[in-house]
Amino acid sequence: MIILEANNLKKYYGSGENQVKALDGVSLRIEEGELAAIVGCSGSGKSTLLHMLGGLDYPTSGTVTVAGKEIFRLNETELTIFRRRKIGFVFQSYNLVPILSVYENVVLPSELDGKKPDPKFIREILHTLGIEDKADCLPGQLSGGQQQRAAIARALAARPSIILADEPTGNLDSRSTQEVLGLLKLTGKHFHQTIVMITHNEALAQLCDRIIHVEDGKIADDTRTGGGSHEK
Ligand SMILES: Nc1ncnc2c1ncn2[C@@H]1O[C@H](COP(=O)(O)OP(=O)(O)O)[C@@H](O)[C@H]1O
Ligand SMILES: [Mg+2]
């Protein structure tokens, strides 16, 4: 089943001579359960693409369909709610709230959505990510790798069907990088999630089911690695 689809997606910034075509006609279909890497040079449009796929910003033109719903037909309030329920974001800067504990950070998006968190499920996620014992710590008391795991836990907590990650291992050393990818794969399988991840790390991309190469706002190459366990 196709869970995420973009059709002729364009995002232009500015106008006239200063116009930047950050995305210039991207069409893409992601299968449910797929782990896809987005690679490409700095400034090629990767983050813009991820933001559009997740409905964080409206495109200049084109459509994005998530689980059968064309998301840019929704108004801003509807889109915010849809995003909170369906999509989990992991950014390179962890964006944890420093005065809240790890546990409180993780349940925050669900609480904003007016849902009561399920403590057992949250503990299970923290356990899977190996930071169960850090639940009551403040983010500042954690290492970079642990903070990144907390950010992943937060993305998983609302049980989104899609995880969008923008260089989730960008600030980590190679060992933590391997670990975080392993955990993303594990949790993705465990919780039946589709993962689209931007990475600069070629070795990491090779471990994904599929590598989507973005160049000048277009998809220059889209390759299945063949080693993926989710392949249909
Ligand atoms: N908010 C913005 N306003 C103007 N230009 C932008 C904005 N966001 C991104 N861009 C431009 O769009 C292009 C693609 O950016 P981005 O998607 O961040 O690339 P990447 O993530 O691959 O490094 C770049 O030229 C960048 O400068
Ligand atoms: Mg970027």
Side-chain angles (χ1 to χ4, degrees), residues 2-226:
I2 304 291
I3 184 129
L4 186 55
E5 182 169 356
N7 273 309
N8 204 15
L9 204 56
K10 296 184 182 175
K11 180 67 173 181
Y12 295 174
Y13 291 109
S15 60
E17 265 180 36
N18 298 321
Q19 190 174 62
V20 176
K21 296 181 174 182
L23 283 185
D24 197 18
V26 167
S27 297
L28 177 67
R29 304 170 104 196
I30 308 267
E31 291 271 354
E32 188 167 25
E34 214 166 27
L35 170 59
I38 297 181
V39 302
C41 302
S42 179
S44 57
K46 303 181 298 296
S47 294
T48 305
L49 174 59
L50 205 76
H51 291 170
M52 302 285 127
L53 292 178
L56 281 177
D57 194 7
Y58 287 85
T60 304
S61 65
T63 61
V64 169
T65 307
V66 179
K69 190 165 226 134
E70 212 183 298
I71 62 171
F72 296 119
R73 286 180 181 270
L74 302 173
N75 67 33
E76 267 181 62
T77 312
E78 292 168 334
L79 185 56
T80 302
I81 293 168
F82 184 79
R83 206 169 47 217
R84 247 188 231 142
R85 293 187 180 158
K86 288 278 181 203
I87 298 169
F89 291 96
V90 184
F91 299 104
Q92 184 175 355
S93 53
Y94 319 120
N95 294 339
L96 297 167
V97 181
I99 56 164
L100 297 180
S101 72
V102 166
Y103 185 90
E104 289 164 341
N105 265 284
V106 168
V107 299
L108 186 62
S110 298
E111 284 182 342
L112 288 173
D113 197 25
K115 275 188 276 179
K116 233 184 139 82
D118 171 358
K120 206 169 143 241
F121 180 62
I122 305 294
R123 293 281 164 189
E124 186 188 343
I125 295 172
L126 293 177
H127 176 75
T128 307
L129 289 164
I131 50 168
E132 202 179 9
D133 58 332
K134 304 291 177 196
D136 300 320
C137 294
L138 294 174
Q141 298 172 294
L142 272 55
S143 72
Q146 289 165 341
Q147 289 187 48
Q148 189 56 281
R149 287 168 204 211
I152 292 171
R154 181 183 52 191
L156 294 171
R159 303 180 197 246
S161 31
I162 301 171
I163 301 275
L164 300 177
D166 196 343
E167 300 191 46
T169 60
N171 288 324
L172 304 180
D173 59 39
S174 63
R175 180 155 163 250
S176 306
T177 295
Q178 292 285 341
E179 274 178 18
V180 166
L181 184 79
L183 291 167
L184 272 175
K185 280 185 116 162
L186 189 76
T187 50
K189 245 189 216 158
H190 195 86
F191 302 114
H192 306 292
Q193 285 156 326
T194 307
I195 304 173
V196 181
M197 175 185 72
I198 295 176
T199 180
H200 267 121
N201 186 325
E202 181 62 30
L204 213 58
Q206 290 295 338
L207 297 172
C208 296
D209 301 325
R210 177 175 175 187
I211 304 176
I212 299 162
H213 201 112
V214 177
E215 223 175 88
D216 295 330
K218 297 189 171 86
I219 292 181
D221 191 48
D222 188 347
T223 312
R224 288 184 188 274
T225 58

